[in-house]
Amino acid sequence: MHLQKTRRRRGLLLTSQGLKKLQTAKSKAEIEENSGNRYTLEALNERTGLSVDTLMKIFDCELGVDKQTLKYCFQAFNLVLEQSDYGFPESQQQDEVLGTNLLVVETALEIPEGQVSLDSVFYVERPPIEADCYKAILQPGALIRIKAPRRMGKTSLMSRILHSATNYGYCTVSLSFLLADKAIFQDLDKFLRWFCASISLGLQVPNQLTDYWDELFGSKISSKIYFEQYLLAKTTSPIVLGLDDVDRLFQYPDLADDFFGLLRVWHEEAKNREIWKKLRLVVAHATEVYIPLNVNKSPFNVGLPVELQNLNRKQVQALGERYGLNCSEPALEQLFTLVDGQPYLVRLAFYYSWQHSVTLEQLLSNAVSLNEIYREHLQQQWWNLQQNPELVAAFAQVIKASKPVQLHLEPAFKLQSMGLVNLYGNQATPSCKLYAEYFSDA
């Protein structure tokens, strides 16, 4: 049986009249019911019953939602949704004139790789994580720590936190440490200059390092001066830094100790000095900190900790529905057993099922198809393992054992960062059946 490929609603947007009407009612409610303070996205979520992503779509007027959603939002502020309050996106209006319905062929389904774009329907929220992060980033001197193995959605969540901050007029910069050349990590002064210059570039302000760098004070104080007297002083808005892949620094313990200690100092400065309250940090890493850091100098024991988990069964089912797949309960359970809800592996299966117009049941019953879906990913994982013989040996122990295996701390954390094992203390088990079966034959 072949599935008919899904057509997706582009939905409705508020007109300028409808948006003004809603914003006016919202402002009135803030004055009368919230002491004049603006409602946070979390508060709007509680008031309307709509997700944060949906609320952002409504107020941004860039992505359509269904009519019932707009009704719920209006009703939350004692408004009645009228026909003049909404309309179709321009690209959809011609379809309506020609007599077609709201269903429009999706021309290019997203390939499941890398960050899930902000406007994607395939991003699955994991409540209350998103709402908690959107609220936390509004706090002076905020620090959010996102930890999860690779391909679990850290970068996708970070991008949404930064996007949420821009809705409040904040300046945002996203920086991945994978962009730095290896030579940068060999010298603290060179690294901090690269870091400050990269933030300047992200903020689209001139690089003024020569004016603020003082060899007498050293690179750590110089970088602090650069932020305090230049970057933070130059704007009245908070600055949110999204620092991705910071665990790359774990390979350079001395550098990591200095840099992470600096981040902790900047975070603590917000408790005492007004200018540092404008700096907000979002830090993402794939593994536990396996290098020694002084507890009083580490940024990994302060702020809001966020640990992303695999998708649960309901979330896997919801994602399948977004692909237009009518999956049976046994098929969903079989997929869940195979990959344990790992977001990337689930998306690969659904994407392949959609792309080849086969049911999930047919897909999972065909060993050849399964090999085709996951072959490239599994080969990449095997190649990554082979770069470190210690990891090959440690993972082999885990695969062969019938019960959890106690591993040394560093290889245990590295295997966890790759998504290959689940850890209970420092005892490891294979993270899913797919890996256990593949690597037992490798």
Side-chain angles (χ1 to χ4, degrees), residues 385-411:
L385 272 176
Q386 289 181 309
Q387 305 315 298
N388 189 332
E390 182 186 12
L391 294 186
V392 175
F395 193 47
Q397 291 182 52
V398 176
I399 293 297
K400 293 175 183 177
S402 58
K403 60 182 181 180
V405 174
Q406 186 163 327
L407 298 176
H408 292 299
L409 208 58
E410 186 171 334

Side-chain angles (χ1 to χ4, degrees), residues 84 109 328:
S84 57
L109 196 66
S328 68

Side-chain angles (χ1 to χ4, degrees), residues 173-208:
V173 179
S174 178
L175 177 64
S176 169
F177 287 97
L178 294 178
L179 295 173
D181 296 337
K182 287 184 179 180
I184 295 292
F185 299 102
Q186 306 302 322
D187 180 79
L188 178 64
D189 184 76
K190 183 182 292 186
F191 174 80
L192 289 178
R193 285 175 181 268
W194 170 85
F195 178 73
C196 290
S198 298
I199 301 304
S200 303
L201 182 65
L203 292 171
Q204 298 183 339
V205 298
N207 179 341
Q208 300 281 350

Side-chain angles (χ1 to χ4, degrees), residues 14 16-30 59 74 79:
L14 288 178
S16 57
Q17 172 186 314
L19 180 60
K20 183 177 180 180
K21 182 176 173 180
L22 180 60
Q23 288 177 328
T24 300
K26 174 174 162 290
S27 297
K28 182 181 178 182
E30 288 168 341
F59 284 97
F74 269 52
L79 296 174

Side-chain angles (χ1 to χ4, degrees), residues 92-110:
Q92 190 171 331
Q93 289 175 359
Q94 184 64 32
D95 293 336
E96 296 299 315
V97 171
L98 294 174
T100 60
N101 59 22
L102 292 177
L103 300 176
V104 181
V105 174
E106 185 67 51
T107 56
L109 196 66
E110 298 170 18

